[in-house]
Amino acid sequence: MRKSSAARVRTAVLILLTATAIMLLCTYAAYTGLPYLYSLLGAEPAPYWRQAIFATVFFILFVGCVGAISSLMSKRHMIVWDTIQDAMRRIAKGDFSVNIDLPMNEKDRLGTIVSNVNQMAVELGALEKMRQEFISNVSHEIQSPLTSIQGFAKAIKQENLSPEARLRYITIIETESERLSKISDNLLKLTSLESKHHPFEQIPYRLDKQLRNVVLASEPKWLEKKLDMEVELEPLTVRADRDLMSQVWINLLSNAIKFTPEGGTIRIGLSAGEGRARVSVADTGIGLTEEDRLHVFERFYKADKSRTSSGGGSGLGLSIVQKIIEMHGGEISVESRLGEGTVFLVTLPLEVQEPDA
């Protein structure tokens, strides 16, 4: 409201100043031009007629100037509106390279419209680029296991194939099928989360107990790699969707186990600070480059480019984790150095009232 009122005041002042300038210009033209005209005619009318002629000439000049300025402004506005309409038609057809390059004052309404159209084209162009990259990534991720399944299915048809080789090929087909199913499941899950229609039931529960259960459930995996598991959990309660948060901890812990060499260490901590729960999952694994660290939450991004079917990763896990954390009003960050391990830090709002344990 204040901005709108200020804009109206500025417009009124501008109109008043313009009208005053036109009046002064017309007065000067009539005042200096009429005596010159009288001298050319060789006659000068009586004072009464001089005033009448002066008023008439002034009025004609003033109306003419106002009309000329209005005509120019109208033409300028028509050019701008035609340009805007053309830009909107191009945007509607999918051309987001539109940029209305006209000298405009962004403080007036027309300038604001032009600026907003340009901004809309930029944002829609970025969104279209993301869509194309997403489709390309999905196609690539699906094509890889499909190609593998197709190749080994053809190989099984060979009559002289040994039972051992046949069993190996079947195992590979099964693994690739599971990978394809996991990609599909993660895509559906991510789409559901972003649609804001995903079931989301927040209840108060003990976060330390949930983390301990996740660590115990994954015990066979970290024992198999002879990893040391250091757990330090402060008793804390959060209000969250228990199932969704369980997916977060399972994903972070699974990544830590997967990328930590045999004999390494994983540390899981939970503490409170400034009204928030702080969960850290640290490992002594292979770590990330700075570039990988900056992009690790992007869809389909894989820090380990060599990871294909053997790793089973689709590059969607951390995107899902980030989305779930954001849905709970939390934040997630990562610190890592290549060869020195990785630390994921998650913060969540704490539940004020402690439920009965």
Side-chain angles (χ1 to χ4, degrees), residues 22-35 54 58 61:
I22 294 174
M23 290 175 64
L24 291 174
L25 181 63
C26 293
T27 301
Y28 177 78
Y31 183 79
T32 57
L34 286 176
F54 178 86
F58 170 81
L61 289 175

Side-chain angles (χ1 to χ4, degrees), residues 9-300:
V9 170
R10 285 196 298 269
T11 302
V13 171
L14 181 61
I15 292 173
L16 180 61
L17 291 175
T18 303
T20 302
I22 294 174
M23 290 175 64
L24 291 174
L25 181 63
C26 293
T27 301
Y28 177 78
Y31 183 79
T32 57
L34 286 176
Y36 179 72
L37 178 63
Y38 297 152
S39 65
L40 289 177
L41 295 175
E44 186 173 340
Y48 172 78
W49 287 108
R50 283 203 307 268
Q51 292 181 6
I53 293 171
F54 178 86
T56 303
V57 171
F58 170 81
F59 179 76
I60 292 172
L61 289 175
F62 182 79
V63 171
C65 289
V66 171
I69 292 175
S70 298
S71 178
L72 290 174
M73 292 293 292
S74 177
K75 289 181 179 178
R76 177 176 176 271
H77 280 199
M78 287 302 297
I79 292 173
V80 174
W81 280 117
D82 289 343
T83 305
I84 291 174
Q85 289 177 7
D86 179 65
M88 296 299 291
R89 282 192 292 267
R90 290 170 59 189
I91 291 174
K93 293 179 180 179
D95 180 6
F96 304 122
S97 62
V98 171
N99 180 46
I100 303 177
D101 188 14
L102 292 175
M104 300 294 299
N105 181 7
E106 294 187 0
K107 293 183 178 180
D108 63 34
R109 292 183 179 180
L110 204 56
T112 300
I113 293 174
V114 170
S115 177
N116 288 338
V117 170
N118 287 337
Q119 183 64 25
M120 179 178 66
V122 171
E123 293 180 0
L124 286 174
L127 187 62
E128 175 64 14
K129 183 179 179 181
M130 288 177 59
R131 186 186 70 84
Q132 292 177 355
E133 290 179 352
F134 179 76
I135 293 175
S136 176
N137 287 328
V138 170
S139 300
H140 175 75
E141 290 295 329
I142 292 178
Q143 187 61 36
S144 179
L146 284 177
T147 301
S148 182
I149 291 171
Q150 185 180 23
F152 286 107
K154 290 180 178 179
I156 291 176
K157 293 180 180 180
Q158 300 176 16
E159 295 181 359
N160 59 347
L161 193 65
S162 66
E164 293 80 10
R166 191 181 303 276
L167 178 61
R168 187 170 72 254
Y169 293 167
I170 291 174
T171 302
I172 293 174
I173 290 174
E174 183 182 12
T175 301
E176 291 296 276
S177 299
E178 291 174 354
R179 180 180 171 220
L180 192 60
S181 177
K182 186 176 181 181
I183 292 173
S184 176
D185 181 62
N186 282 338
L187 281 171
L188 290 173
K189 187 179 296 179
L190 191 57
T191 302
S192 177
L193 290 172
E194 292 183 341
S195 70
K196 298 182 180 179
H197 297 298
H198 190 88
F200 188 56
E201 183 181 358
Q202 291 182 284
I203 60 171
Y205 70 90
R206 286 278 294 274
L207 181 56
D208 56 298
K209 291 184 178 181
Q210 183 181 47
L211 289 168
R212 187 170 287 105
N213 290 335
V214 170
V215 171
L216 292 175
S218 62
E219 186 175 8
K221 294 181 179 179
W222 51 267
L223 284 180
E224 182 181 359
K225 296 185 70 173
K226 300 181 176 61
L227 301 177
D228 289 332
M229 187 67 66
E230 298 180 1
V231 179
E232 187 174 347
L233 306 175
E234 182 179 337
L236 293 177
T237 298
V238 295
R239 177 177 289 273
D241 187 302
R242 190 194 297 264
D243 292 336
L244 288 178
M245 292 309 303
S246 180
Q247 294 179 39
V248 170
W249 314 129
I250 290 173
N251 186 285
L252 294 179
L253 184 55
S254 296
N255 282 345
I257 294 172
K258 183 186 299 183
F259 298 112
T260 301
E262 187 172 320
T265 302
I266 296 176
R267 299 179 180 88
I268 299 179
L270 171 61
S271 60
E274 299 180 353
R276 299 177 74 83
R278 295 167 54 89
V279 181
S280 61
V281 180
D283 62 60
T284 58
I286 59 177
L288 301 168
T289 65
E290 180 61 18
E291 180 182 0
D292 290 335
R293 188 187 69 82
L294 295 174
H295 299 282
V296 74
F297 294 108
E298 294 178 6
R299 298 174 184 177
F300 297 107

Side-chain angles (χ1 to χ4, degrees), residues 307-326:
R307 213 172 5 134
T308 55
S309 58
S310 60
S314 65
L316 288 171
L318 288 177
S319 297
I320 294 174
V321 164
Q322 185 183 50
K323 185 62 184 177
I324 293 174
I325 296 298
E326 290 176 350

